[in-house]
Amino acid sequence: MPAFDLIIRNGRLATASDSYVADIGIRDGRIVAIGEALAGAEEVIDATGKLVLPGGIDSHVHISQPSGPGIVMADDFESATRAAAFGGNSTVMPYCLQQKGQSLRAALSDYHALALGNCHVDHSFHLIVSDPTESVLGQELPALFADGYTSFKVFMTYEGMALDDYEMLSVLEVAREAGALVQIHAENYDAIRFLTDRLERAGKTAPHFHGRSRPIPVEREATHRAISLAELIDVPIMIVHVSNREAMEEIRRAQARGLKVMGETCPQYLVLTEADMERTGMEGAKYVCSPPPRDLASQQACWEGLQQGVFSVFSSDHCPFRYEDEAGKLAPKGRSSFRWVPNGIPGIETRLPILFSEGVVKGRISLERFVALTATNHARIYGLPNKGSIAVGYDADIAIWDPELKRPIRQADLHHGVDYTPYEDLEITGWPVSLLVRGRLVVRDGMLSDTTKLGRHLQRTRPLV
Ligand SMILES: [Zn+2]
């Protein structure tokens, strides 16, 4: 019997700390050897001239999430995880949304039923707590932490989701006791409602006024408040999808004071601006997400946050709605006001190529930092053992990249359930070409090579923050 099921030969391996040319030996879905001239395998992949990276972990994606009356997300677990695989990701972390009045257990069993048997890559749920009742705080959350759901998200905005400060403190207190990590969507709900009302009264209802309804101070204030509330409880937090300098600087100051405040940013804040929302007619709706894309100076600030370690993770915030669809961006109510345009843009397949091309190829970040920001830090921070790096004993979650392959992003080439990409025609150098999930070659040379959908749900350990 050969020593290995598979050898990946002669590629340049990269981890969060090093890169070097070596062979990888894989057996039973795990990396069992890294060395020179490994031999004895059923199959050998020649990776000469390629990069061999840990499969990406996207710790911020929305799949099949209820999104309001008449609105339907464009991806189910099959299409979202297929797109994730083609984008070089071996694990995704979708949200399980608790609706008002619903128990978290009930919400989870709904999502598990949707995911079961439909995932091309591994997945692990974060919980969204929208209704922190006594039983949720006292019984459900502690029991779910014990079962490996060790992170959850709270919103400071959105009708039906926003928590007030008292509720935020209550949730943070439970997280502290359990050792869980809280992700926070930081925007000031009342300020957005106020500005939205004023804009609508003035007849300013086109999609791009979405940006004017939630300018930078809205995000900065909520970021500062979230940090202050976490400081009161003495608990780590992750501020998700940071879009601009002022919010980034709030996080940096908190870190300088020794607080365990982490930050995340996303592709839309590196390559889109508010000008994209100003396209004619309803076209701008394709770029409506929250926080909104800002300006070039904000893009620069987000790069600084990535370069200087203020942000520890780079995620997609994939939140897919079709454009030519009354259940998506062209919902009839959305034509009457930006207030009703579904919030969110797709990005699960393009996250890694955008950061690689704009970051590594253009010399803004090193290859090692790319690996940390897209895989290793996600595994560590969210408690995914044996994921997010290339090391003996780790799961054989591996993306093989062609660092020279030049091709623009084109909707026609993507695999998600959405009918557009906000990054159409963006020139990219460097694409993932093959992907292994626990040793299974799911994508091979740009083709889906394994349709068994054996991606599984991952129980998590205590976050390492
Ligand atoms: Zn999100």
Side-chain angles (χ1 to χ4, degrees), residues 67 69-71 196 200 203-210 281-286 288 322-323 325-343:
S67 306
I71 305 298
T196 300
E200 283 186 343
K204 297 177 173 175
T205 57
H208 74 268
F209 289 107
H210 172 77
M282 289 299 290
E283 280 280 309
K286 291 179 176 175
V288 166
R322 288 171 51 81
Y323 177 66
D325 196 327
E326 296 211 333
K329 292 288 188 181
L330 295 187
K333 271 175 97 179
R335 292 180 187 271
S336 70
S337 167
F338 63 86
R339 185 200 290 261
W340 305 110
V341 173
N343 264 233

Side-chain angles (χ1 to χ4, degrees), residues 60 62 153 241 317:
H60 189 156
H62 302 270
K153 185 178 184 187
H241 48 49
D317 196 5

Side-chain angles (χ1 to χ4, degrees), residues 4 10 43 113 154 161 163 195 230 237 247 254 260 268 270 276 307 311 316 373 376 388 398 413 442 449 455 463:
F4 308 110
N10 211 27
E43 191 178 358
V154 293
M161 310 251 274
L163 303 192
L195 292 169
I237 53 170
K260 287 187 177 166
Q268 49 270 40
L270 299 182
D276 289 301
Q307 290 162 333
F311 301 141
S316 68
L373 287 166
T376 315
I398 293 170
D413 297 332
V442 174
S449 62

Side-chain angles (χ1 to χ4, degrees), residues 7 17 43 59 94 132 136 164-165 181 183 210 217 296 328-329 349 378 395 421 446 462:
I7 291 172
S17 60
E43 191 178 358
S59 60
V136 165
D164 64 26
D165 291 351
L181 182 61
Q183 303 173 306
H210 172 77
L296 295 177
K329 292 288 188 181
E349 191 168 351
H378 299 255
D395 287 354
T421 166
R462 203 182 166 100

Side-chain angles (χ1 to χ4, degrees), residues 208-256:
H208 74 268
F209 289 107
H210 172 77
R212 297 265 297 277
S213 74
R214 45 219 314 150
I216 287 171
V218 164
E219 185 183 342
R220 181 196 63 219
E221 184 280 330
T223 303
H224 180 84
R225 182 155 40 98
I227 291 168
S228 304
L229 299 179
E231 183 179 2
L232 289 174
I233 303 294
D234 186 21
V235 64
I237 53 170
M238 170 72 75
I239 306 287
V240 292
H241 48 49
V242 176
S243 74
N244 68 90
R245 177 169 302 280
E246 296 184 25
M248 187 272 280
E249 296 284 6
E250 292 286 346
I251 298 168
R252 195 210 298 271
R253 267 196 294 283
Q255 291 169 345

Side-chain angles (χ1 to χ4, degrees), residues 11-59:
R12 174 162 289 275
L13 276 57
T15 68
S17 60
D18 304 286
S19 79
Y20 53 94
V21 174
D23 299 345
I24 298 178
I26 294 164
R27 193 170 59 229
D28 296 333
R30 294 188 318 137
I31 296 168
V32 293
I34 297 172
E36 291 182 346
L38 296 183
E42 284 177 20
E43 191 178 358
V44 175
I45 295 177
D46 180 10
T48 305
K50 302 285 199 303
L51 292 174
V52 178
L53 309 183
I57 300 174
D58 195 340
S59 60

